[in-house]
């Protein structure tokens, strides 16, 4: 490996650092700094520390941090919250990202206005669960309140929502879909499975009836509408009858798009200790049946 120049530093950033910082520090001493997802506020300090220098002046304070967009100029992702209230048994996100932390509506609106002024015409709202937005701040689900404010931004043409929990799509949100001039007719509703026994093991807090209710509610308010979902195959304990129940539900609800993932055992999650883990061969065998 060639020697590094005096201005070169190696920094590792992301979720893995957040979860395994101590182990990574011990394993990779050649790395100059490790920055986790919770280190956003101290990112610049850590970066300057790599050079044993301090910035010549203190950066100005912003309610939100201006960022370099890597999307096409007409499109920008807009994070509305971080962390998650749900405790799905297979998911490690709450251990990495922590509990739900919503951004205030005025702060999000300010950033959205800035993005639109910079040329963005479509804003895609993202978080671990958009439909939980605001519960920690306002003690109620406030996604519609946020959408109402964003819709007022001039020169913004489209709003798009990702990752809606099927239990939290209510009449108020469905009605907003029907009357909004800017919310595109698209919704991503990850159901993860369709069998009640597996959904209970997943700790999804959902079942077949709420899933049906949500899909039918959205379609009754606005049609045509594109609804995407995701499911997991090969969850511990999933037998043929469970898989077939899920397949029937997918066929009956006729989702427009379906993303399929093989279950992956995540260290530290409840599902990692469940009985009935199956081989990758069986998981892979079930993928083509859905595709």
């Amino acid at each position: 490996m060639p020697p590094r120049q005096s201005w070169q530093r190696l920094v590792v950033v992301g979720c893995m650092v957040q979860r395994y910082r101590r182990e990574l520090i011990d394993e990779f001493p050649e790395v100059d700094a490790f920055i986790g997802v919770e280190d956003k506020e101290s990112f610049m300090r850590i970066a300057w520390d790599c050079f044993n220098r301090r910035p010549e002046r203190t950066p100005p304070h912003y309610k939100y941090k201006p960022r370099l967009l890597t999307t096409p100029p007409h499109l920008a992702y807009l994070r509305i919250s971080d962390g998650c209230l749900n405790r799905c048994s297979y998911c490690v996100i709450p251990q990495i990202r922590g509990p739900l932390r919503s951004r205030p509506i005025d702060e999000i609106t300010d950033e959205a206005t800035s993005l639109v002024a910079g040329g963005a015409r479509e804003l895609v709202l993202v978080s671990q669960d958009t439909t939980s937005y605001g519960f920690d701040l306002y003690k109620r689900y406030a996604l519609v309140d946020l959408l109402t404010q964003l819709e007022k931004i001039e020169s913004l043409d489209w709003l798009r929502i990702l990752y809606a929990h099927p239990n939290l799509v209510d009449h108020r949100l469905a009605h907003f879909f029907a009357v909004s001039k800017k919310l595109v007719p698209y919704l991503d509703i990850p159901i993860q499975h369709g069998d009640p026994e597996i959904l209970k093991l997943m700790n999804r807090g959902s079942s077949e009836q709420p899933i049906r209710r949500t899909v039918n509610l959205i379609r009754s308010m606005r049609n045509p509408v594109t609804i995407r979902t995701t499911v997991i195959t090969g969850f511990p304990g999933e037998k043929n009858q469970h898989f077939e129940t899920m397949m029937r539900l997918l066929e009956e609800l006729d989702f427009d798009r379906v993303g399929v993932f093989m279950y992956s055992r995540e260290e530290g999650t409840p599902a990692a200790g469940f009985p009935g883990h199956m081989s990758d061969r069986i998981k892979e065998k079930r993928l083509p049946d859905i595709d």
Side-chain angles (χ1 to χ4, degrees):
M1 182 176 179
R4 285 191 301 187
Q5 301 297 319
S6 61
W7 47 266
Q8 289 180 327
R9 296 293 184 271
L10 179 60
V11 179
V12 179
V13 182
C15 294
M16 183 171 286
V17 173
Q18 186 68 30
R19 194 175 183 199
Y20 297 112
R21 187 190 305 266
R22 175 47 53 194
E23 293 90 334
L24 291 171
I25 290 173
D26 292 341
E27 179 123 5
F28 301 102
E30 63 271 26
V31 174
D32 295 288
F34 292 92
I35 301 177
V37 296
E38 294 299 318
D39 297 324
K40 291 189 289 289
E41 296 301 319
S42 54
F43 185 97
M44 289 304 298
R45 177 188 60 75
I46 296 172
W48 279 99
D49 284 348
C50 288
F51 293 92
N52 295 316
R53 291 176 57 192
R54 306 303 301 167
E56 295 178 2
R57 62 184 179 87
T58 303
H61 173 73
Y62 295 94
K63 286 194 298 182
Y64 60 89
K65 300 295 185 289
R67 54 195 171 98
L68 175 65
L69 297 181
T70 57
T71 51
H74 68 278
L75 171 71
Y77 290 93
L78 182 59
R79 178 168 289 281
I80 64 175
S81 67
D82 210 343
C84 190
L85 286 175
N86 304 310
R87 291 295 180 268
C88 302
S89 64
Y90 53 82
C91 184
V92 76
I93 286 176
Q95 298 179 37
I96 297 173
R97 295 279 184 178
L100 177 69
R101 300 181 307 287
S102 301
R103 300 173 61 194
I105 289 176
D106 60 346
E107 179 182 311
I108 298 172
T109 305
D110 285 348
E111 181 176 5
T113 302
S114 176
L115 290 167
V116 172
R121 293 296 174 263
E122 177 179 355
L123 297 180
V124 183
L125 274 54
V126 293
S127 68
Q128 273 68 53
D129 173 12
T130 54
T131 40
S132 289
Y133 171 77
F135 191 79
D136 55 320
L137 284 180
Y138 310 114
K139 306 309 176 190
R140 58 185 172 82
Y141 300 115
L143 179 59
V144 174
D145 303 274
L146 172 62
L147 290 169
T148 301
Q149 292 303 310
L150 295 177
E151 182 143 347
K152 296 176 183 178
I153 300 174
E154 294 184 9
S155 299
L156 173 62
D157 295 326
W158 297 313
L159 283 165
R160 188 183 300 266
I161 304 173
L162 299 187
Y163 316 128
H165 195 289
N167 281 23
L168 298 180
V169 177
D170 57 14
H171 279 82
R172 190 166 176 241
L173 180 56
H175 180 259
F176 192 88
F177 257 93
V179 301
S180 172
K181 303 299 183 184
K182 298 186 177 182
L183 194 59
V184 298
Y186 170 91
L187 190 59
D188 189 340
I189 309 174
I191 66 171
Q192 308 302 13
H193 212 277
D195 182 89
E197 290 184 35
I198 300 300
L199 286 168
K200 186 175 181 180
L201 285 172
M202 288 180 167
N203 198 33
R204 284 289 292 167
S206 185
S207 63
E208 177 185 344
Q209 286 311 115
I211 292 170
R212 288 182 183 275
R213 177 198 62 81
T214 293
V215 173
N216 293 331
L217 176 62
I218 290 294
R219 285 178 174 155
S220 70
M221 291 287 185
R222 185 170 183 177
N223 214 352
V225 59
T226 297
I227 301 180
R228 179 186 185 273
T229 194
T230 54
V231 293
I232 298 172
T233 64
F235 191 78
E238 182 191 65
K239 296 182 170 52
N240 287 335
Q241 62 265 31
H242 300 136
F243 180 75
E244 290 165 4
T245 298
M246 178 177 70
M247 288 294 296
R248 283 195 299 271
L249 184 64
L250 291 175
E251 290 168 2
E252 291 171 17
L253 292 180
D254 193 23
F255 289 99
D256 300 279
R257 298 287 186 273
V258 180
V260 189
F261 299 91
M262 292 195 321
Y263 168 76
S264 177
R265 193 173 196 159
E266 286 287 350
E267 179 186 353
T269 62
F274 286 177
H277 284 265
M278 60 190 66
S279 67
D280 286 346
R281 181 183 62 82
I282 297 176
K283 298 176 194 176
E284 290 171 357
K285 183 180 178 182
R286 289 175 177 171
L287 288 179
D289 291 337
I290 299 176
D291 293 342

